[in-house]
Amino acid sequence: MTNLWTVLYFTLGITLTGGMLLLFKKIFWDKLSARWHYLVWLVLLVRAVLPENVRLFSTGFALNNIWMEGMKRLRGIVEMGRNSLLSAPFGMEGGDLSLLKSTPVDAWSVTDILFVVYLAGVVIMLAWDIVIYGKLRRKIKKGREASWGLQEKIRTTAEKYDLPKQERVKVCGGFETPFLCGFFKPVLVIPESMEETIDEKVLLHEMLHLKHHDVLVNFALHLLQALNWFNPFVYWLCHIIRNDSEALCDQRALERLEGEEKRDYGMLLLGMADRRHASRIGTTSMANGAKNIKTRVRRIADFGRAPRGAAFAAGCITVMLCLASVSYAYEPKYFDTSEVETKEDLEFLLEDARYFDVTSPEMAISIFYEAIYEKDLGKLALTVPQAEFETYRAWALQEYGENRKAFGAQLAEGTKADYKYKFYEDMRYDGLYFFGQEEDGSVKGMLHIIDETDACYNDVPVTERFLYFRVLEEEKGNWSVEVCKEDSWLFDVNNPSYTTRKLKEKMENGQYTQRGDWKMAEVSYCFVWNMQMSGGNLFSFMNLGNEEPQFNQTLSSDASHAVLLEYTGTEWKEKEEILVLYLCPAEMTEEYLWDGDRGMRSYSPNGSGSSSDGSSWCSFRTGKDWDGSLTEIGGVWGESLNEAFDLLENPYEVRVYTVQGERLAAFPMKGGALYEE
């Protein structure tokens, strides 16, 4: 916990989880044994040791989501404009505590001060517990060793019930009931008044506490109280857990007793009802107050009456609740922006966009593409990095005010202000290029856009635009798209391919490999040319199944290899011949290439083709009119972006054949960057 909001999230999670468990226990009070009344608190333990918004997997129901969204919104409202050292308006992460030391107190925000107050409270509570525990240990240390008769009774009780013998025993004055005390090697403390008369059932109870390490639970509960010192509900929960621990110990004792011994055990408990007790740190005590003992006696009366199958049902429910406390609920995967009618509506929509989780890079790319395509201010906000969100928000509201809207948050025109995020008017979206994937999962890519507005005028050349971006994971399970820059060039009818242009640039810059009489420039990348819309476009009415639209979670991509060859020899420029340039997986045999309809004899000059096996080809005629250059692009389709990047690692070759099938050259491909910053 590194700021006030992580503290509030932690304590609210404990409170709501504890309240839910109390309701569960009340509903099934007479259906569960004492063992399950105690074990259900495992859910609270899971929630306590995983205080942050841990997302191990998705389920239909998750306790995290009950309070997390509300906490995010409250944090955004409170922290906006306060310049806290430890808390940003958005996200649950904390800041660097060392900043408090190097910054004057008058520069701290209100939430910083409250967090320091919280830390001081924790220190005071822990210090108080340490002092109390130290006094108790010193008092126990002054006690005397147990008599031989008491030690013998302890030994015979341990042997009778097959329990570990209690080695450390002290007899002390000032106590009315026996108890265990200690972290590593607990001491059994016997009051002086009970040294000669102590019942073996009392010893059995405390030995069972020793066997099951219940003293450690008491330490943990005091730590939980200290961390939630301002929350009285947590104190009450800890009180109930201690009582359930004692009730479970009663059940374990009854399971070892027979006949009238069970009735005598209940009478023994009633006899302790009026004895003074205290919930001391690091102790267990059979006596825990008259009210609690009466409840325990009622449970003893019901011992063994739980319905058949109740334990199994309780176990299943407990496991489900534990899973719910460390999972996250399936959240809506679509963001409807159609209800926006005013600027105020857009402000609320943008606030909602802050807290929409984009759960994969494929989903982020799909939303980004769809937002640009539809000129949708709301959808684009889903992918904007948090560090840029405030600037984007101001820009979006300005554009909405200046632009005539067509549908919801979608603009009818291109954006006006010069900003890194923008919309285009009358554009054709040619495809998405992905240049590489980094170790942290982030992806660099480019959206290729062709300006069709210019095409309306014969005397104005068409402009191509290239929007370079980076997809990154800002926090666990939440992805953003950072726009890096925009480039443009005039459309070249003789050189229309982005990839071909880049290959020629490499060749001109000397970034090629000389292979005999051939120069070879090559690149590898992933490409998506047929983006599927989520259902928020004009054709969403065709969804006859009435299913809720959702953003794409997968992104099929082509793992592409491209090569530019330049022939530097003279032989093939002096004679006319049909040659075939083949791009194919290195493992592909020539027999396979020549089989059936794929036979190269069927190739005609200036033809081309490709196959789902990852091969592609083009044919050309050599001679005095041939400039010596050959370009080919090919690849294999991947079901996801990750699979496509993996496929790029498979060995590829470029081969040159005569149309008769004679192989003139074969070069292994090593790949290369399509785009370099």
Side-chain angles (χ1 to χ4, degrees), residues 61-217:
F61 167 71
L63 302 180
N64 286 0
N65 294 77
I66 295 176
W67 59 83
M68 191 62 185
E69 294 304 314
M71 288 293 296
K72 284 182 177 180
R73 292 179 179 273
L74 180 62
R75 178 174 185 164
I77 294 171
V78 173
E79 293 291 355
M80 189 68 69
R82 293 189 181 276
N83 297 319
S84 169
L85 298 172
L86 303 178
S87 306
F90 309 105
M92 292 304 294
E93 66 281 355
D96 185 357
L97 293 176
S98 63
L99 292 175
L100 296 176
K101 295 181 180 180
S102 58
T103 307
V105 176
D106 55 3
W108 297 0
S109 71
V110 173
T111 54
D112 293 338
I113 294 172
L114 289 176
F115 181 64
V116 172
V117 171
Y118 164 76
L119 292 179
V122 173
V123 171
I124 291 171
M125 292 300 297
L126 290 176
W128 178 254
D129 280 339
I130 291 172
V131 169
I132 295 299
Y133 182 70
K135 287 183 177 180
L136 178 62
R137 292 302 302 234
R138 286 194 296 272
K139 187 173 182 179
I140 293 173
K141 190 175 182 179
K142 293 178 181 178
R144 57 183 173 81
E145 298 295 327
S147 63
W148 181 87
L150 178 58
Q151 290 181 358
E152 185 64 16
K153 181 178 288 189
I154 292 172
R155 185 187 65 79
T156 56
T157 301
E159 290 179 354
K160 179 178 179 180
Y161 297 107
D162 193 23
L163 295 171
K165 181 184 177 183
Q166 175 64 48
E167 299 291 344
R168 305 180 66 194
V169 183
K170 285 283 188 176
V171 178
C172 301
F175 302 111
E176 293 190 8
T177 58
F179 61 90
L180 286 176
C181 178
F183 191 88
F184 295 108
K185 295 182 178 181
V187 179
L188 175 59
V189 178
I190 306 295
E192 288 182 344
S193 59
M194 298 180 66
E195 182 178 11
E196 301 298 331
T197 60
I198 189 168
D199 194 293
E200 74 168 18
K201 300 177 189 63
V202 176
L203 295 176
L204 169 63
H205 183 97
E206 298 303 331
M207 287 181 183
L208 287 168
H209 275 312
L210 177 68
K211 178 181 179 179
H212 295 282
H213 309 288
D214 292 332
V215 176
L216 300 182
V217 175

Side-chain angles (χ1 to χ4, degrees), residues 340-357:
V340 174
E341 297 182 355
T342 65
K343 193 173 182 178
E344 288 71 24
D345 290 342
L346 181 61
E347 287 190 88
F348 282 109
L349 185 76
L350 293 176
E351 286 304 306
D352 289 338
R354 294 183 193 269
Y355 311 111
F356 186 94
D357 286 336

Side-chain angles (χ1 to χ4, degrees), residues 127 295 342 466:
T295 301
T342 65
F466 309 94

Side-chain angles (χ1 to χ4, degrees), residues 382-548:
L382 301 177
T383 65
V384 174
Q386 288 292 349
E388 301 177 1
F389 195 90
E390 281 305 305
T391 307
Y392 173 82
R393 179 179 179 276
W395 170 80
L397 293 173
Q398 177 186 348
E399 289 294 335
Y400 187 85
E402 296 179 359
N403 212 306
R404 181 175 58 84
K405 74 180 181 66
F407 180 73
Q410 297 177 11
L411 301 182
E413 304 167 354
T415 49
K416 297 175 176 59
D418 185 17
Y419 184 52
K420 64 191 299 184
Y421 294 92
K422 61 183 64 176
F423 300 131
Y424 306 92
E425 196 165 350
D426 297 320
M427 294 288 184
R428 175 165 62 88
Y429 298 89
D430 189 52
L432 285 159
Y433 293 78
F434 300 102
F435 308 129
Q437 190 172 36
E438 300 176 8
E439 290 185 2
D440 60 1
S442 61
V443 178
K444 293 183 178 180
M446 180 269 289
L447 175 60
H448 185 198
I449 306 164
I450 299 176
D451 191 340
E452 294 191 332
T453 305
D454 298 337
C456 298
Y457 306 96
N458 295 328
D459 58 342
V460 178
V462 175
T463 302
E464 292 184 84
R465 304 184 189 277
F466 309 94
L467 197 61
Y468 295 92
F469 59 83
R470 177 170 172 257
V471 186
L472 66 153
E473 188 177 26
E474 289 201 282
E475 56 185 35
K476 185 174 177 59
N478 197 15
W479 292 79
S480 299
V481 179
E482 176 187 13
V483 172
C484 302
K485 70 171 185 175
E486 181 195 50
D487 281 343
S488 63
W489 61 44
L490 294 180
F491 182 78
D492 184 352
V493 177
N494 298 317
N495 194 13
S497 168
Y498 175 81
T499 303
T500 302
R501 279 200 179 192
K502 288 296 183 181
L503 286 170
K504 288 185 175 181
E505 284 182 11
K506 283 180 172 289
M507 192 68 78
E508 292 169 0
N509 295 331
Q511 296 176 283
Y512 60 82
T513 304
Q514 186 74 46
R515 303 291 181 93
D517 289 337
W518 300 87
K519 292 180 181 178
M520 185 172 78
E522 57 178 307
V523 293
S524 58
Y525 57 95
C526 295
F527 180 68
V528 178
W529 60 272
N530 186 22
M531 285 290 292
Q532 298 294 319
M533 304 297 280
S534 65
N537 55 26
L538 294 176
F539 301 102
S540 59
F541 67 88
M542 297 178 64
N543 183 3
L544 302 179
N546 295 320
E547 296 180 359
E548 182 182 354

